[in-house]
Structure formats: structure tokens, C-alpha cells
Amino acid sequence: MKSIALFSIKGGVGKSTAAVNLAHGAATAGGRRTLLWDLDSQGAATFLMTMEDAARGKARAGLSGKAGLSDLIVPSGWPLLDLLPADRSLRRLEGDLARSDKAGVLRKLLKSLEDDYDRVIIDCPPGLSELADRLFRAVDLIVVPVIPTPLSSRASAQLEEELARMDKAPPPRLYFWNLADRRKRLHRDTMATEEDRIVVPASAIMESVAAELRPIAALAPRTAAARAYATLWSAVEVALIRG
């Protein structure tokens, strides 16, 4: 089993949408037994998977060991794809972690899933925090969506600075341009600084993912956005193999 964190210091970069689309691709196109773990108290990934009713206020209890993690997992309706939904109880998770002396709790929870899943994709809350630090130490890969603007690029640099301060080697990172609009000169100029990154374009059909509550590969499989996510998932698999 390999674990992937969808992470960004900055909010509003399409992180949860990316997590859902990558999880769907891992399960359907990749044939991997996949768990999408929503750790963001806003529950955007849970909403996009139409599973808000499955969030029973126990997400925090699952992390603390007061509830069995496997008991909280629900099928998504897509083959090979399950969801560990978020709820508002996760707002108090930071305090729990700050008081806990169990630095490896997330790593142990992930290990408990390895018999049932090939890939665990975690939708992380934005911002640097105690939870982020624990995740950086537990996952195999960090995938970072970056809107091609100065503020979003600055957040990427801040993330690298934070990872450089870790007392152990951080996991590899995969950055990609998200919600990119080549009609905008600012976006074109920013993307030119990292031309080898995969580009997920901004489009009206991508905005429909939240309205239709379906991953882009199911909603519009022949679009540029769907092809971009397929390419991104292939890059994730390559990064996991390389370690």
C-alpha cells in the first residue's frame, strides 16, 4: 500500500477536487483498491462524493482510536473506491495532536489499512500545522496543486522551506499547475518558470464537477481536463515507484 497526501498551504487551489479525481482514476483506470480519506473538516471531498450523510461526527474518534477506523469507511458507489468521510469533529483534531505524545499515530493508522487497500489518497486541510507535520512523516508522496499565480507559487516555496527543516528526509513531492488559464498572461508567464509540470486547465466543465457531483473522467472523459488528470495519475504512479 502507498499513501498520497493532497496538500497545499494555500486554500482555494482545487485541492479537494484533485483528490477526488485522482482517487477515481486510481480505482477505475488504475484498477487499484483505493481509499479516499477526507481529513479536511470542511468536508469538500466528502461532499463531492455525495457522502455527507455518511459523516456521522465520528471522524475525530477514528483518529483517536475511540472508534474503529474501518467501521467509518463507506463504499463510494464506484468500483474499488471507498471513502473515509470528514465531518466537523475534525476541527478539534489539531488540539488532540498537540496534546498527544503519539507522533506515529497517523503512520500506524495507515499501516492498519494496508491489507485492504493499494492506494490511500488523503485530502489534507490547508496550512502548516501539527497535522501537516504528522502527515509529512507518514505518507509516501505529497501531491501539490498550484494555481499559476505569484501567491500560490510563494506557498510552494514556503512548503519546501518547511520540509527542509524536518529532522528526517521528507517524502517526494509532485507539483502540478491547476486551474490554469493560458488566456491569461500571468498564468502563461508563471507556468514558464516550471515548464515540466503537468497542467490541469481551468474550464467550465471542471466547474461542473461540483455541480454534477461526478469525477471529470465520468462526467466528460474526452475533455482536456480528463486527459490531464489521467496524465497526472500516471505521474503519481511513477513517483511512487521511484520513491
Side-chain angles (χ1 to χ4, degrees), residues 1-5 110 118-122 138-141 240:
M1 190 198 79
K2 297 293 184 180
S3 53
I4 303 106
L110 285 168
D118 304 308
R119 300 289 181 264
V120 176
I121 297 177
I122 306 170
V139 300
D140 297 296
L141 178 68
L240 289 171

Side-chain angles (χ1 to χ4, degrees), residues 133-157:
D133 183 69
R134 304 284 179 98
L135 283 164
F136 297 157
R137 298 171 186 276
V139 300
D140 297 296
L141 178 68
I142 303 172
V143 178
V144 187
V146 184
I147 296 176
T149 62
L151 282 178
S152 194
S153 295
R154 177 175 178 267
S156 300

Side-chain angles (χ1 to χ4, degrees), residues 63-108:
L63 283 163
S64 67
K66 295 178 181 178
L69 202 62
S70 60
D71 295 335
L72 305 179
I73 294 172
V74 293
S76 72
W78 300 101
L80 299 179
L81 178 57
D82 291 339
L83 173 71
L84 188 50
D87 55 55
R88 298 181 71 183
S89 72
L90 290 174
R91 292 180 299 172
R92 298 186 290 277
L93 179 59
E94 290 295 338
D96 294 345
L97 291 173
R99 291 186 294 270
S100 173
D101 60 355
K102 298 178 181 178
V105 62
L106 283 170
R107 190 161 49 245
K108 291 177 181 177

